[in-house]
Amino acid sequence: TELKTKADLLERLQQANVPVVWRPFHELNGNWFWWGKQGPGNFKRLWITMYDYFVKDRKLNNLIWVLCYTGEPDSAWYPGDKYVDIAGADTYDKGDSSMPYMYKAVKDITGTRIPIAYHECGTPPDPDKCLKDGVMWSWWMEWHTQHLRNVDTVYLKKLYDHELIITRDEVPDIMKVYGKKMKK
């Protein structure tokens, strides 16, 4: 089955001490993917079935479970805190807005119990506007190809140089720091 195939691959990563940001079924409450077409009840059963198989049956402990709404988060689709490590939403609205309404909609569902991410965006939010609006995305992901090419390079440089933004070159080498402690 598909779940077994995925679990086999994820198990190999677990054996290599590789954590995985696992974001299945993105834009879950849209109706454009098969997993969103049958409504929130069936989606939650699907999510929990995958979670139980991976975590309980296959004993995968290297997954960070990420729930991704459309730009209109809806609590009816939330499978529960037990099954989610990070939640968020995505939209491709133009402009550098902090997306306070989308952030608040996710926060109304999860509270402050878990981090909130801006999963996919056409234009990343301005960090100064995020600060001003109290919108603290744990991350945002600039979507690729034409979306990235449409963002002004001066704006992107401002973003990546901003003190609130941690870029890849600023992330510590966790294997160097923790790798020896993790080996058995």
Side-chain angles (χ1 to χ4, degrees):
T1 71
E2 185 76 19
L3 284 180
K4 182 185 180 319
T5 301
K6 298 290 187 270
D8 290 345
L9 294 169
L10 293 166
E11 186 175 34
R12 289 174 53 198
L13 292 171
Q14 178 178 271
Q15 291 166 351
N17 293 320
V18 176
V20 176
V21 176
W22 185 244
R23 191 177 75 117
F25 312 126
H26 72 292
E27 298 173 353
L28 59 100
N29 59 319
N31 62 0
W32 43 91
F33 296 116
W34 65 266
W35 51 84
K37 290 188 181 287
Q38 300 298 315
N42 282 340
F43 170 77
K44 289 189 288 190
R45 280 192 290 282
L46 174 66
W47 184 277
I48 292 168
T49 297
M50 175 186 275
Y51 181 94
D52 285 347
Y53 176 67
F54 284 2
V55 174
K56 294 177 181 176
D57 297 347
R58 295 297 298 266
K59 309 293 187 222
L60 294 172
N61 61 11
N62 61 325
L63 305 179
I64 301 165
W65 288 82
V66 181
L67 189 77
C68 178
Y69 290 101
T70 66
E72 297 179 16
D74 180 346
S75 63
W77 296 76
Y78 190 64
D81 289 356
K82 176 181 176 181
Y83 305 101
V84 178
D85 297 312
I86 297 171
D90 67 34
T91 187
Y92 291 90
D93 289 352
K94 297 196 182 317
D96 60 358
S97 169
S98 67
M99 300 306 295
Y101 299 106
M102 190 170 73
Y103 181 86
K104 182 182 179 324
V106 177
K107 191 172 181 181
D108 285 348
I109 296 166
T110 65
T112 57
R113 299 180 303 275
I114 61 175
I116 300 173
Y118 189 166
H119 297 290
E120 300 171 17
C121 59
T123 303
D126 182 316
D128 292 320
K129 290 180 180 179
C130 289
L131 269 176
K132 179 179 164 274
D133 297 339
V135 174
M136 300 313 302
W137 300 106
S138 57
W139 80 69
W140 47 261
M141 179 174 62
E142 169 63 39
W143 203 236
H144 56 80
T145 56
Q146 199 57 39
H147 291 286
L148 181 58
R149 286 192 286 268
N150 287 338
V151 179
D152 179 68
T153 55
V154 172
Y155 178 68
L156 282 177
K157 180 155 179 41
K158 172 193 168 187
L159 285 176
Y160 290 118
D161 288 342
H162 197 282
E163 66 185 46
L164 285 180
I165 305 300
I166 299 170
T167 54
R168 183 175 160 196
D169 62 310
E170 298 169 315
V171 175
D173 182 348
I174 62 169
M175 290 310 291
K176 188 175 184 182
V177 175
Y178 301 104
K180 292 179 183 175
K181 296 176 186 176
M182 292 177 67
K183 302 249 188 231
K184 292 181 180 177

